[in-house]
Amino acid sequence: MTEPGLLDLEAVVVGQPKRSRWRTYVGPALVVSTVEGTPLARVTYPDDTYAVLATTSGEFIVGMEQFGPVEFRFIDAEGREVGTTGAPGLIKTLRLSLRTERGRQLLLTRPSLLHAEWQLTETDPEESPAPEILGRVTVSTIDSWLGLQQYVVETDPRLDASERRTVIASVVCLHLLRRPPGRSATPE
């Protein structure tokens, strides 16, 4: 099973670990930790189309397989699909459509490229005047010289562990869309 509480926590941080400016970094691409900074899991990219979220002890949580330019499928340890996420439209980081293991449809949206906060809802904020907010994802730069990013993921207590797994995996995919592996380009 996963580290105690990883998928039960209402808030986690998905971020790029700090690294030396003078040496080649060889650690995980992203680390999932508590808000206080205790590492819970890590993300590695075995190749450019597949990412793995595993506990700090190495136990597999979910694989994220890219099967289109902006579409991802989440795979459990037995190889079953346990969710998907994708970015419709031309600007790929304004909106992600999520589908959980049980088929629940969620949206992760932000109003413009200038906003650092995405909202997690079941209905489209553009079509519903006041959608129920089920969570927030806030991005910030933790090292402007290297351009390291972190995402604070806050979810509603009503989301279950499998739905939180989908949200965390989707944030990893959002980071992938904003900063592909091996590139240090400015994020969208």
Side-chain angles (χ1 to χ4, degrees), residues 104-106 119-123 131-136 154-159 167:
R104 185 176 187 185
Q105 300 290 324
L106 299 170
Q119 293 182 342
L120 181 67
T121 60
E122 279 188 294
T123 58
E132 182 179 10
I133 308 295
L134 299 172
R136 287 181 167 64
E154 300 170 282
T155 56
D156 192 282
R158 295 172 289 172
L159 294 180
V167 173

Side-chain angles (χ1 to χ4, degrees), residues 13-33:
V13 176
V14 177
Q16 293 177 282
K18 296 220 179 206
R19 48 196 78 174
S20 169
R21 294 181 175 128
W22 295 278
R23 289 183 239 146
T24 303
Y25 177 74
V26 294
L30 297 170
V31 173
V32 181
S33 61

Side-chain angles (χ1 to χ4, degrees), residues 33-108:
S33 61
T34 63
V35 174
E36 295 79 24
T38 305
L40 300 168
R42 63 178 183 244
V43 176
T44 55
Y45 299 116
D47 63 44
D48 284 348
T49 62
Y50 192 72
V52 175
L53 176 63
T55 64
T56 53
S57 61
E59 187 178 339
F60 185 89
I61 298 171
V62 68
M64 293 146 278
E65 179 180 46
Q66 188 170 4
F67 65 93
V70 290
E71 296 182 59
F72 299 84
R73 141 176 68 215
F74 307 138
I75 309 296
D76 68 7
E78 287 80 40
R80 294 181 307 226
E81 184 178 296
V82 292
T84 61
T85 193
L90 297 175
I91 301 175
K92 59 190 177 186
T93 61
L94 282 179
R95 173 190 189 120
L96 288 178
S97 298
L98 290 63
R99 185 181 50 77
T100 67
E101 184 174 9
R102 295 187 182 125
R104 185 176 187 185
Q105 300 290 324
L106 299 170
L107 293 171
L108 194 56

